[in-house]
Amino acid sequence: MLPNPSLERTATGLALGPLPGVVHHPSSGPSAIPASARSAQTLGNASPTMPPASSHISADTRFQEAAASLGYSFEGELKVGGNYVPLVRDGATLYISGQVPRVGSTVVVTGRVGSEISLAQAQVAAKVCAMRALALLQRELGSLDSVRQILRVTVYTQSAAEFTQQSEVADGASELLHSVLGEAGKHTRTSVGVYQLPKNASVELDLVASAKA
Amino acid sequence: MLPNPSLERTATGLALGPLPGVVHHPSSGPSAIPASARSAQTLGNASPTMPPASSHISADTRFQEAAASLGYSFEGELKVGGNYVPLVRDGATLYISGQVPRVGSTVVVTGRVGSEISLAQAQVAAKVCAMRALALLQRELGSLDSVRQILRVTVYTQSAAEFTQQSEVADGASELLHSVLGEAGKHTRTSVGVYQLPKNASVELDLVASAKA
Amino acid sequence: MLPNPSLERTATGLALGPLPGVVHHPSSGPSAIPASARSAQTLGNASPTMPPASSHISADTRFQEAAASLGYSFEGELKVGGNYVPLVRDGATLYISGQVPRVGSTVVVTGRVGSEISLAQAQVAAKVCAMRALALLQRELGSLDSVRQILRVTVYTQSAAEFTQQSEVADGASELLHSVLGEAGKHTRTSVGVYQLPKNASVELDLVASAKA
């Protein structure tokens, strides 16, 4: 991967680079996880540099780049916590179970956002949740290029009493979906602050997507 | 607009008048926002009177009447808070992002319901959220008469610890949807109390709707 | 009903017995509500024994058995709390309004899980919510054998500050759906902890399902 010559930081941390022809989203230049966020979370050996996006790069390649940037692997079993399933397909519609920022068997960002966990850390958590959802779509469809559209995303943030930046937390997930999927990553979104999440996760995300015919 | 001769108040505040032929809902007579709610929120010059509904009035006209009654305009840009989109259409299905009671750039009802915010104020907030959702549907479809059905509504209320009237808050939105859309406004609903909402909004609402072919 | 010779308890309380040919779910042996949970909640005369499941038993029969086991009737009006509807059908897709553990006019499990309410009690609450949802599907479709798939379930648990077993609460509902519907009961799920629920309910559940053609 070539280092991204236009690397810069954004308010919401990691962005995986602009996609040509995406016109409906506020622009988000290529960036990296702020070093402060990474060190605070011990996020592993995430590369601070991102490759330049290109219209010739598949969504699957962008997914791998995003995983490398986060410093996590999303291969292997994607554990779910109970007797339900991670994905159900209904015709062209794909429902994904709520994802917490679990990597392997560890929930990597836990605690209340706004007191124990910073906004930047929560944004990384939202990205990890979104990556898990993408990994599930990829396994079901064979390729992320077969995603037609992300229809709906709900982001739950375990919030301190006075924390009101739930939208900014969710921006982490929205940017990642957009960065990996381009136009197909455009989605509607609901962001709420909740009192507790399973496993003390800081963020939980679910989504509904549609597949190409 | 003629004053409504049968004007009366209901437990949940504003209702935009009965619609002929609607049989499945508990009846809600025409009413107005209680003066107490209006004054407490400085909701502007909302008329306390509502016109009689008629089967010959389009849903778009009822929408305008509801806006006038609330004292708010829902023209102009409907801002969303992040890099996502307010509406995604998937065939006949329309997904609307979570709406807070924002008018222009101001969230008009903020704070915790049950302590800082009264039930009546929260019901107005729910109505404003619902109006924003309707405005988005109207822009996408050209006319609210093209809404086939509101399928699902989720209403999140930022709640004080002991507040348990989340359903009554959501009634504000349900009544408005019913008043503007008639039978097409019948919907399933989930009401929950959450700890915090983006921008300290008192209420957030999202919905899924279907469009006529 | 014959007593189940292989009766045993599971971590999540009631399970209605294994279904032949269900391979994707973690196995859950036949079991009964722990006596501690039943006595704590005065759940009525629930039988501690469950019949052995069989591939020749219809989903409707299993539903009746689950109702008997819980000690509740789900006949009669299924009250909803406001001016909305309990179920909307959109083609083959069925949306169910958020269900609290109401039986008749009483919400049978109220209060905050993790302080006032135990995990086992909350799991029973989740089962009652799921039974209400199934009762609504049964009335709409004529038979639960006409359910093609439960697509999505969201379980909201009114949680104490330090309670993080929302997934385990939701397992109560997941097990019940699986027990009654078999493969068709496989679903995606989101579990969150919220601050308050309508009527002070301990659990609220909504779902989306599809019907057979």
PDB file of all heavy atoms in Angstrom, chain A residues 4-33:
ATOM      1  N   ASN A   4      -0.553   7.547   1.879  1.00  0.00           N
ATOM      2  CA  ASN A   4      -1.475   8.519   1.303  1.00  0.00           C
ATOM      3  C   ASN A   4      -0.844   9.899   1.370  1.00  0.00           C
ATOM      4  O   ASN A   4      -0.601  10.432   2.443  1.00  0.00           O
ATOM      5  CB  ASN A   4      -2.770   8.492   2.114  1.00  0.00           C
ATOM      6  CG  ASN A   4      -3.840   9.369   1.497  1.00  0.00           C
ATOM      7  OD1 ASN A   4      -3.520  10.316   0.784  1.00  0.00           O
ATOM      8  ND2 ASN A   4      -5.093   9.045   1.760  1.00  0.00           N
ATOM      9  N   PRO A   5      -0.577  10.490   0.234  1.00  0.00           N
ATOM     10  CA  PRO A   5       0.130  11.773   0.258  1.00  0.00           C
ATOM     11  C   PRO A   5      -0.712  12.906   0.835  1.00  0.00           C
ATOM     12  O   PRO A   5      -0.164  13.916   1.263  1.00  0.00           O
ATOM     13  CB  PRO A   5       0.460  12.019  -1.219  1.00  0.00           C
ATOM     14  CG  PRO A   5      -0.562  11.235  -1.972  1.00  0.00           C
ATOM     15  CD  PRO A   5      -0.875  10.041  -1.121  1.00  0.00           C
ATOM     16  N   SER A   6      -2.019  12.706   0.837  1.00  0.00           N
ATOM     17  CA  SER A   6      -2.861  13.805   1.328  1.00  0.00           C
ATOM     18  C   SER A   6      -3.381  13.518   2.727  1.00  0.00           C
ATOM     19  O   SER A   6      -4.441  13.963   3.114  1.00  0.00           O
ATOM     20  CB  SER A   6      -4.042  14.008   0.372  1.00  0.00           C
ATOM     21  OG  SER A   6      -4.827  12.835   0.335  1.00  0.00           O
ATOM     22  N   LEU A   7      -2.617  12.748   3.479  1.00  0.00           N
ATOM     23  CA  LEU A   7      -3.091  12.335   4.796  1.00  0.00           C
ATOM     24  C   LEU A   7      -3.391  13.528   5.692  1.00  0.00           C
ATOM     25  O   LEU A   7      -2.608  14.451   5.813  1.00  0.00           O
ATOM     26  CB  LEU A   7      -2.014  11.478   5.468  1.00  0.00           C
ATOM     27  CG  LEU A   7      -2.392  10.899   6.820  1.00  0.00           C
ATOM     28  CD1 LEU A   7      -3.447   9.835   6.631  1.00  0.00           C
ATOM     29  CD2 LEU A   7      -1.165  10.335   7.496  1.00  0.00           C
ATOM     30  N   GLU A   8      -4.544  13.476   6.310  1.00  0.00           N
ATOM     31  CA  GLU A   8      -4.884  14.522   7.275  1.00  0.00           C
ATOM     32  C   GLU A   8      -5.902  13.955   8.246  1.00  0.00           C
ATOM     33  O   GLU A   8      -6.539  12.948   7.982  1.00  0.00           O
ATOM     34  CB  GLU A   8      -5.452  15.745   6.570  1.00  0.00           C
ATOM     35  CG  GLU A   8      -6.751  15.463   5.845  1.00  0.00           C
ATOM     36  CD  GLU A   8      -7.273  16.685   5.112  1.00  0.00           C
ATOM     37  OE1 GLU A   8      -6.450  17.545   4.765  1.00  0.00           O
ATOM     38  OE2 GLU A   8      -8.479  16.774   4.918  1.00  0.00           O
ATOM     39  N   ARG A   9      -6.041  14.606   9.348  1.00  0.00           N
ATOM     40  CA  ARG A   9      -6.978  14.134  10.357  1.00  0.00           C
ATOM     41  C   ARG A   9      -8.322  14.816  10.214  1.00  0.00           C
ATOM     42  O   ARG A   9      -8.405  15.943   9.775  1.00  0.00           O
ATOM     43  CB  ARG A   9      -6.414  14.385  11.759  1.00  0.00           C
ATOM     44  CG  ARG A   9      -5.219  13.472  12.029  1.00  0.00           C
ATOM     45  CD  ARG A   9      -4.609  13.726  13.356  1.00  0.00           C
ATOM     46  NE  ARG A   9      -3.415  12.885  13.481  1.00  0.00           N
ATOM     47  CZ  ARG A   9      -2.565  12.968  14.485  1.00  0.00           C
ATOM     48  NH1 ARG A   9      -2.771  13.848  15.451  1.00  0.00           N
ATOM     49  NH2 ARG A   9      -1.521  12.188  14.536  1.00  0.00           N
ATOM     50  N   THR A  10      -9.360  14.093  10.627  1.00  0.00           N
ATOM     51  CA  THR A  10     -10.680  14.696  10.655  1.00  0.00           C
ATOM     52  C   THR A  10     -11.209  14.650  12.074  1.00  0.00           C
ATOM     53  O   THR A  10     -10.661  13.967  12.936  1.00  0.00           O
ATOM     54  CB  THR A  10     -11.681  13.931   9.753  1.00  0.00           C
ATOM     55  OG1 THR A  10     -11.917  12.654  10.355  1.00  0.00           O
ATOM     56  CG2 THR A  10     -11.126  13.754   8.361  1.00  0.00           C
ATOM     57  N   ALA A  11     -12.296  15.338  12.262  1.00  0.00           N
ATOM     58  CA  ALA A  11     -12.887  15.400  13.605  1.00  0.00           C
ATOM     59  C   ALA A  11     -13.268  14.019  14.109  1.00  0.00           C
ATOM     60  O   ALA A  11     -13.274  13.765  15.305  1.00  0.00           O
ATOM     61  CB  ALA A  11     -14.109  16.300  13.593  1.00  0.00           C
ATOM     62  N   THR A  12     -13.608  13.134  13.222  1.00  0.00           N
ATOM     63  CA  THR A  12     -14.107  11.843  13.664  1.00  0.00           C
ATOM     64  C   THR A  12     -13.085  10.733  13.499  1.00  0.00           C
ATOM     65  O   THR A  12     -13.429   9.570  13.510  1.00  0.00           O
ATOM     66  CB  THR A  12     -15.381  11.467  12.894  1.00  0.00           C
ATOM     67  OG1 THR A  12     -15.096  11.601  11.507  1.00  0.00           O
ATOM     68  CG2 THR A  12     -16.516  12.363  13.287  1.00  0.00           C
ATOM     69  N   GLY A  13     -11.839  11.113  13.352  1.00  0.00           N
ATOM     70  CA  GLY A  13     -10.824  10.079  13.348  1.00  0.00           C
ATOM     71  C   GLY A  13     -10.682   9.445  11.989  1.00  0.00           C
ATOM     72  O   GLY A  13     -10.706  10.125  10.963  1.00  0.00           O
ATOM     73  N   LEU A  14     -10.548   8.147  11.998  1.00  0.00           N
ATOM     74  CA  LEU A  14     -10.256   7.405  10.773  1.00  0.00           C
ATOM     75  C   LEU A  14     -11.243   7.703   9.658  1.00  0.00           C
ATOM     76  O   LEU A  14     -12.446   7.626   9.826  1.00  0.00           O
ATOM     77  CB  LEU A  14     -10.321   5.909  11.077  1.00  0.00           C
ATOM     78  CG  LEU A  14     -10.104   4.974   9.893  1.00  0.00           C
ATOM     79  CD1 LEU A  14      -8.644   4.910   9.541  1.00  0.00           C
ATOM     80  CD2 LEU A  14     -10.637   3.601  10.243  1.00  0.00           C
ATOM     81  N   ALA A  15     -10.707   8.002   8.515  1.00  0.00           N
ATOM     82  CA  ALA A  15     -11.517   7.960   7.302  1.00  0.00           C
ATOM     83  C   ALA A  15     -10.663   7.272   6.265  1.00  0.00           C
ATOM     84  O   ALA A  15      -9.447   7.415   6.273  1.00  0.00           O
ATOM     85  CB  ALA A  15     -11.894   9.355   6.845  1.00  0.00           C
ATOM     86  N   LEU A  16     -11.301   6.507   5.410  1.00  0.00           N
ATOM     87  CA  LEU A  16     -10.516   5.632   4.554  1.00  0.00           C
ATOM     88  C   LEU A  16     -10.285   6.221   3.193  1.00  0.00           C
ATOM     89  O   LEU A  16      -9.921   5.533   2.258  1.00  0.00           O
ATOM     90  CB  LEU A  16     -11.192   4.276   4.471  1.00  0.00           C
ATOM     91  CG  LEU A  16     -11.367   3.626   5.832  1.00  0.00           C
ATOM     92  CD1 LEU A  16     -11.970   2.269   5.702  1.00  0.00           C
ATOM     93  CD2 LEU A  16     -10.042   3.539   6.573  1.00  0.00           C
ATOM     94  N   GLY A  17     -10.466   7.512   3.068  1.00  0.00           N
ATOM     95  CA  GLY A  17     -10.166   8.159   1.808  1.00  0.00           C
ATOM     96  C   GLY A  17     -11.426   8.447   1.025  1.00  0.00           C
ATOM     97  O   GLY A  17     -12.434   7.756   1.155  1.00  0.00           O
ATOM     98  N   PRO A  18     -11.384   9.489   0.208  1.00  0.00           N
ATOM     99  CA  PRO A  18     -12.557   9.895  -0.556  1.00  0.00           C
ATOM    100  C   PRO A  18     -12.815   8.929  -1.691  1.00  0.00           C
ATOM    101  O   PRO A  18     -11.901   8.266  -2.182  1.00  0.00           O
ATOM    102  CB  PRO A  18     -12.160  11.262  -1.100  1.00  0.00           C
ATOM    103  CG  PRO A  18     -10.667  11.194  -1.205  1.00  0.00           C
ATOM    104  CD  PRO A  18     -10.200  10.281  -0.096  1.00  0.00           C
ATOM    105  N   LEU A  19     -14.039   8.817  -2.099  1.00  0.00           N
ATOM    106  CA  LEU A  19     -14.386   7.975  -3.222  1.00  0.00           C
ATOM    107  C   LEU A  19     -14.851   8.862  -4.356  1.00  0.00           C
ATOM    108  O   LEU A  19     -15.655   9.765  -4.159  1.00  0.00           O
ATOM    109  CB  LEU A  19     -15.500   7.000  -2.835  1.00  0.00           C
ATOM    110  CG  LEU A  19     -15.045   5.952  -1.830  1.00  0.00           C
ATOM    111  CD1 LEU A  19     -16.234   5.348  -1.148  1.00  0.00           C
ATOM    112  CD2 LEU A  19     -14.238   4.893  -2.556  1.00  0.00           C
ATOM    113  N   PRO A  20     -14.379   8.611  -5.551  1.00  0.00           N
ATOM    114  CA  PRO A  20     -14.818   9.418  -6.685  1.00  0.00           C
ATOM    115  C   PRO A  20     -16.311   9.251  -6.898  1.00  0.00           C
ATOM    116  O   PRO A  20     -16.856   8.169  -6.697  1.00  0.00           O
ATOM    117  CB  PRO A  20     -14.042   8.829  -7.869  1.00  0.00           C
ATOM    118  CG  PRO A  20     -12.950   8.009  -7.267  1.00  0.00           C
ATOM    119  CD  PRO A  20     -13.435   7.565  -5.926  1.00  0.00           C
ATOM    120  N   GLY A  21     -16.940  10.288  -7.305  1.00  0.00           N
ATOM    121  CA  GLY A  21     -18.331  10.210  -7.706  1.00  0.00           C
ATOM    122  C   GLY A  21     -19.306  10.182  -6.550  1.00  0.00           C
ATOM    123  O   GLY A  21     -20.493  10.042  -6.756  1.00  0.00           O
ATOM    124  N   VAL A  22     -18.832  10.308  -5.330  1.00  0.00           N
ATOM    125  CA  VAL A  22     -19.755  10.381  -4.196  1.00  0.00           C
ATOM    126  C   VAL A  22     -20.057  11.839  -3.940  1.00  0.00           C
ATOM    127  O   VAL A  22     -19.164  12.611  -3.607  1.00  0.00           O
ATOM    128  CB  VAL A  22     -19.139   9.750  -2.944  1.00  0.00           C
ATOM    129  CG1 VAL A  22     -20.046   9.958  -1.746  1.00  0.00           C
ATOM    130  CG2 VAL A  22     -18.900   8.274  -3.176  1.00  0.00           C
ATOM    131  N   VAL A  23     -21.289  12.196  -4.154  1.00  0.00           N
ATOM    132  CA  VAL A  23     -21.596  13.625  -4.120  1.00  0.00           C
ATOM    133  C   VAL A  23     -22.547  14.003  -3.005  1.00  0.00           C
ATOM    134  O   VAL A  23     -22.677  15.172  -2.675  1.00  0.00           O
ATOM    135  CB  VAL A  23     -22.210  14.083  -5.455  1.00  0.00           C
ATOM    136  CG1 VAL A  23     -21.191  13.919  -6.567  1.00  0.00           C
ATOM    137  CG2 VAL A  23     -23.475  13.318  -5.764  1.00  0.00           C
ATOM    138  N   HIS A  24     -23.193  13.040  -2.394  1.00  0.00           N
ATOM    139  CA  HIS A  24     -24.233  13.416  -1.445  1.00  0.00           C
ATOM    140  C   HIS A  24     -23.731  13.600  -0.026  1.00  0.00           C
ATOM    141  O   HIS A  24     -24.423  14.150   0.801  1.00  0.00           O
ATOM    142  CB  HIS A  24     -25.348  12.374  -1.446  1.00  0.00           C
ATOM    143  CG  HIS A  24     -26.132  12.366  -2.713  1.00  0.00           C
ATOM    144  ND1 HIS A  24     -25.727  11.654  -3.806  1.00  0.00           N
ATOM    145  CD2 HIS A  24     -27.273  13.007  -3.066  1.00  0.00           C
ATOM    146  CE1 HIS A  24     -26.602  11.838  -4.794  1.00  0.00           C
ATOM    147  NE2 HIS A  24     -27.545  12.645  -4.373  1.00  0.00           N
ATOM    148  N   HIS A  25     -22.560  13.137   0.250  1.00  0.00           N
ATOM    149  CA  HIS A  25     -22.060  13.224   1.618  1.00  0.00           C
ATOM    150  C   HIS A  25     -21.171  14.435   1.792  1.00  0.00           C
ATOM    151  O   HIS A  25     -20.465  14.829   0.880  1.00  0.00           O
ATOM    152  CB  HIS A  25     -21.239  11.970   1.950  1.00  0.00           C
ATOM    153  CG  HIS A  25     -22.083  10.797   2.267  1.00  0.00           C
ATOM    154  ND1 HIS A  25     -22.092  10.205   3.487  1.00  0.00           N
ATOM    155  CD2 HIS A  25     -22.980  10.132   1.524  1.00  0.00           C
ATOM    156  CE1 HIS A  25     -22.947   9.206   3.479  1.00  0.00           C
ATOM    157  NE2 HIS A  25     -23.488   9.137   2.301  1.00  0.00           N
ATOM    158  N   PRO A  26     -21.177  15.024   2.988  1.00  0.00           N
ATOM    159  CA  PRO A  26     -20.162  16.014   3.306  1.00  0.00           C
ATOM    160  C   PRO A  26     -18.788  15.384   3.066  1.00  0.00           C
ATOM    161  O   PRO A  26     -18.573  14.221   3.393  1.00  0.00           O
ATOM    162  CB  PRO A  26     -20.382  16.286   4.796  1.00  0.00           C
ATOM    163  CG  PRO A  26     -21.768  15.842   5.080  1.00  0.00           C
ATOM    164  CD  PRO A  26     -22.065  14.738   4.100  1.00  0.00           C
ATOM    165  N   SER A  27     -17.889  16.139   2.484  1.00  0.00           N
ATOM    166  CA  SER A  27     -16.606  15.540   2.158  1.00  0.00           C
ATOM    167  C   SER A  27     -15.842  15.208   3.427  1.00  0.00           C
ATOM    168  O   SER A  27     -15.940  15.884   4.435  1.00  0.00           O
ATOM    169  CB  SER A  27     -15.786  16.505   1.312  1.00  0.00           C
ATOM    170  OG  SER A  27     -15.396  17.602   2.096  1.00  0.00           O
ATOM    171  N   SER A  28     -15.132  14.121   3.373  1.00  0.00           N
ATOM    172  CA  SER A  28     -14.261  13.762   4.481  1.00  0.00           C
ATOM    173  C   SER A  28     -12.959  13.301   3.878  1.00  0.00           C
ATOM    174  O   SER A  28     -12.902  12.277   3.226  1.00  0.00           O
ATOM    175  CB  SER A  28     -14.885  12.656   5.330  1.00  0.00           C
ATOM    176  OG  SER A  28     -15.105  11.511   4.551  1.00  0.00           O
ATOM    177  N   GLY A  29     -11.944  14.080   4.059  1.00  0.00           N
ATOM    178  CA  GLY A  29     -10.663  13.764   3.449  1.00  0.00           C
ATOM    179  C   GLY A  29     -10.056  12.532   4.081  1.00  0.00           C
ATOM    180  O   GLY A  29     -10.503  12.063   5.130  1.00  0.00           O
ATOM    181  N   PRO A  30      -9.060  11.986   3.447  1.00  0.00           N
ATOM    182  CA  PRO A  30      -8.368  10.848   4.023  1.00  0.00           C
ATOM    183  C   PRO A  30      -7.722  11.242   5.340  1.00  0.00           C
ATOM    184  O   PRO A  30      -7.327  12.380   5.533  1.00  0.00           O
ATOM    185  CB  PRO A  30      -7.311  10.506   2.965  1.00  0.00           C
ATOM    186  CG  PRO A  30      -7.165  11.726   2.132  1.00  0.00           C
ATOM    187  CD  PRO A  30      -8.471  12.462   2.213  1.00  0.00           C
ATOM    188  N   SER A  31      -7.669  10.331   6.235  1.00  0.00           N
ATOM    189  CA  SER A  31      -7.156  10.658   7.555  1.00  0.00           C
ATOM    190  C   SER A  31      -6.737   9.387   8.263  1.00  0.00           C
ATOM    191  O   SER A  31      -6.787   8.300   7.713  1.00  0.00           O
ATOM    192  CB  SER A  31      -8.231  11.358   8.383  1.00  0.00           C
ATOM    193  OG  SER A  31      -9.286  10.458   8.623  1.00  0.00           O
ATOM    194  N   ALA A  32      -6.338   9.517   9.473  1.00  0.00           N
ATOM    195  CA  ALA A  32      -5.958   8.348  10.267  1.00  0.00           C
ATOM    196  C   ALA A  32      -6.547   8.503  11.662  1.00  0.00           C
ATOM    197  O   ALA A  32      -6.986   9.575  12.044  1.00  0.00           O
ATOM    198  CB  ALA A  32      -4.446   8.246  10.361  1.00  0.00           C
ATOM    199  N   ILE A  33      -6.583   7.424  12.402  1.00  0.00           N
ATOM    200  CA  ILE A  33      -6.997   7.528  13.794  1.00  0.00           C
ATOM    201  C   ILE A  33      -6.030   8.464  14.493  1.00  0.00           C
ATOM    202  O   ILE A  33      -4.815   8.303  14.369  1.00  0.00           O
ATOM    203  CB  ILE A  33      -6.943   6.164  14.488  1.00  0.00           C
ATOM    204  CG1 ILE A  33      -7.761   5.139  13.705  1.00  0.00           C
ATOM    205  CG2 ILE A  33      -7.449   6.267  15.923  1.00  0.00           C
ATOM    206  CD1 ILE A  33      -7.605   3.750  14.261  1.00  0.00           C
TER     207      ILE A  33
END
